Amino acid sequence: MESCSFRTATAPSPFPSAPSSSSSSPRAPCPNLRFPRPRNGRQIAVRRRASGFDAFPPLPGKVFVDEAIGAEYGEGFETFRMDGPLKIDVDYLNEKLQECFLQRIRHAMKPDEAFGLIFSWDNVIADTDSLKLDAWRQLALEEGKDIPSATHVRKSILHGAADHVLRKVLYWAKEEDKMEKLKARLIELYYENLFKLDTPVEGLREWLDAVQTAGIPCAVASSLDRRCMIEALDRMALSKYFKLDRKPSKCVVFEDDPRGVTAAHNCTMMAVALIGAHPAYELVQADLAIAKYSELSVINLRRLFANKGISFMDLQKQIIEKSPPKRRLTVDTIF
């Protein structure tokens, strides 16, 4: 399973940043995927832009990359690949992954198996906000600095570019050399914390048990590289739950970010929003919003598709009901 992101990051950096000097670190090659030339319609833009630091070769993948625009603006989402730009037509995937005759029969008898669930890694599977905050706190301790408790500072730390936070929010660095050193140490601290992470978001394991019992396949969407993602799932004992072979229009995305919700819809998927990193009023576009996994049941998933059917994102012809013919009134004369 390739790790894809419905968010906006294109690589495993938890701290988006302005472009920096590019270098590569060793990693296992990814398989080449071949798709036809995109047609007019929805597309998923797959592009890899990354920059890293030779000072830390043990770190998996690349760090400090631009935060790019994805499917939330109708252009698709981006993933971390070795072979450069790649265009994936969502309509093509929906057509290519149509069920065969035997699958349709099975799904008629077990309709829950017809759908798939895609979980975002950040704050949906793992509490990555805590990892980011811990990395910043550790960096502050090492540098003898203080992090203000103001709300806007916390928001910048969690969602802003590391360059901007260091220069404009915390005022820790002015010189470029100092900036690069702090960014490199920051990402190193983040991955040190990530490698220790062995607990998923509360209630996730029980929810995955329920959907596995119902025969619903699942997948993970992340900007982490494949090796790092598999190791993280192994530490959490979650690897057994994730294997997906469903077309986009039959998938439900679990997200915590409103951009991810919009991206899911643009890729013909339903979206369930997990309230926490963003308040409920910012997630109103989601088909369903929950505060915790214990609020969910498999019946909720059935209801997501109940109103629109299995082809809920397909174009439909508008049916105009003809009014019944008017009854002709006659006057009978009785003699």
Side-chain angles (χ1 to χ4, degrees):
M1 178 196 70
E2 282 298 325
S3 300
C4 298
S5 175
F6 293 97
R7 199 174 299 274
T8 54
T10 59
S13 170
F15 309 104
S17 167
S20 59
S21 58
S22 176
S23 63
S24 300
S25 58
R27 54 173 294 174
C30 296
N32 291 325
L33 298 179
R34 296 186 179 275
F35 293 90
R37 185 177 298 276
R39 304 170 298 180
N40 292 333
R42 308 178 195 86
Q43 297 176 356
I44 300 174
V46 181
R47 179 172 55 90
R48 195 170 61 114
R49 294 177 57 195
S51 58
F53 294 90
D54 290 331
F56 303 105
L59 293 181
K62 310 293 190 300
V63 294
F64 297 120
V65 296
D66 279 333
E67 188 167 309
I69 299 301
E72 66 272 19
Y73 284 85
E75 298 177 1
F77 61 86
E78 300 188 2
T79 190
F80 194 72
R81 296 286 177 86
M82 296 296 292
D83 50 357
L86 181 65
K87 296 286 186 180
I88 303 177
D89 191 321
V90 178
D91 292 330
Y92 168 79
L93 290 180
N94 280 324
E95 180 182 341
K96 191 69 175 178
L97 295 176
Q98 287 282 2
E99 304 92 336
C100 65
F101 177 72
L102 293 179
Q103 285 177 320
R104 288 197 295 269
I105 294 177
R106 180 176 179 85
H107 293 166
M109 296 184 294
K110 297 183 177 182
D112 294 335
E113 295 184 7
F115 308 110
L117 308 183
I118 300 176
F119 294 82
S120 173
W121 167 258
D122 292 325
N123 303 312
V124 175
I125 290 181
D127 184 5
T128 53
D129 276 1
S130 294
L131 296 180
K132 292 181 182 180
L133 290 173
D134 288 344
W136 279 105
R137 292 188 187 110
Q138 290 173 266
L139 183 63
L141 184 63
E142 292 179 0
E143 296 294 319
K145 305 285 188 179
D146 293 322
I147 298 179
S149 58
T151 302
H152 77 278
V153 174
R154 177 186 172 91
K155 185 175 181 180
S156 296
I157 285 176
L158 290 177
H159 306 295
D163 308 66
H164 173 74
V165 174
L166 290 169
R167 276 200 180 115
K168 304 294 185 180
V169 179
L170 298 177
Y171 305 104
W172 288 2
K174 294 182 179 180
E175 299 80 10
E176 192 66 26
D177 291 345
K178 179 68 172 179
M179 173 74 66
E180 296 300 317
K181 178 182 176 182
L182 290 178
K183 289 196 310 185
R185 180 56 180 158
L186 180 65
I187 194 65
E188 185 181 32
L189 290 170
Y190 178 86
Y191 276 110
E192 287 177 359
N193 295 334
L194 176 64
F195 294 151
K196 299 174 185 176
L197 183 66
D198 59 3
T199 305
V201 169
E202 181 181 359
L204 175 64
R205 196 184 308 277
E206 292 76 12
W207 172 238
L208 290 175
D209 284 334
V211 297
Q212 186 181 56
T213 301
I216 303 174
C218 302
V220 182
S222 175
S223 57
L224 294 173
D225 66 17
R226 185 183 182 89
R227 177 176 62 86
C228 189
M229 171 57 62
I230 291 176
E231 290 176 357
L233 293 176
D234 286 342
R235 285 194 301 273
M236 297 180 180
L238 296 179
S239 298
K240 65 178 181 178
Y241 296 107
F242 297 106
K243 183 179 180 181
L244 185 68
D245 183 19
R246 296 294 182 269
K247 62 181 183 178
S249 63
K250 286 193 175 181
C251 288
V252 180
V253 173
F254 285 72
E255 257 288 353
D256 74 312
D257 192 300
R259 296 170 298 177
V261 170
T262 306
H265 287 161
N266 286 345
C267 292
T268 74
M269 304 178 190
M270 287 285 195
V272 174
L274 197 63
I275 302 169
H278 293 268
Y281 66 82
E282 292 184 3
L283 300 167
V284 293
Q285 292 186 2
D287 301 287
L288 179 66
I290 59 172
K292 49 188 177 180
Y293 284 107
S294 59
E295 299 176 6
L296 278 175
S297 70
V298 175
I299 295 177
N300 295 132
L301 298 180
R302 297 171 188 165
R303 288 176 178 172
L304 284 179
F305 293 94
N307 294 332
K308 299 180 181 178
I310 59 176
S311 57
F312 70 98
M313 289 296 288
D314 294 343
L315 295 176
Q316 301 290 335
K317 292 182 178 180
Q318 183 177 0
I319 300 176
I320 303 177
E321 296 183 0
K322 294 182 179 179
S323 58
K326 294 182 179 180
R327 188 175 180 182
R328 186 175 182 182
L329 298 179
T330 59
V331 179
D332 294 332
T333 304
I334 301 176
F335 295 97

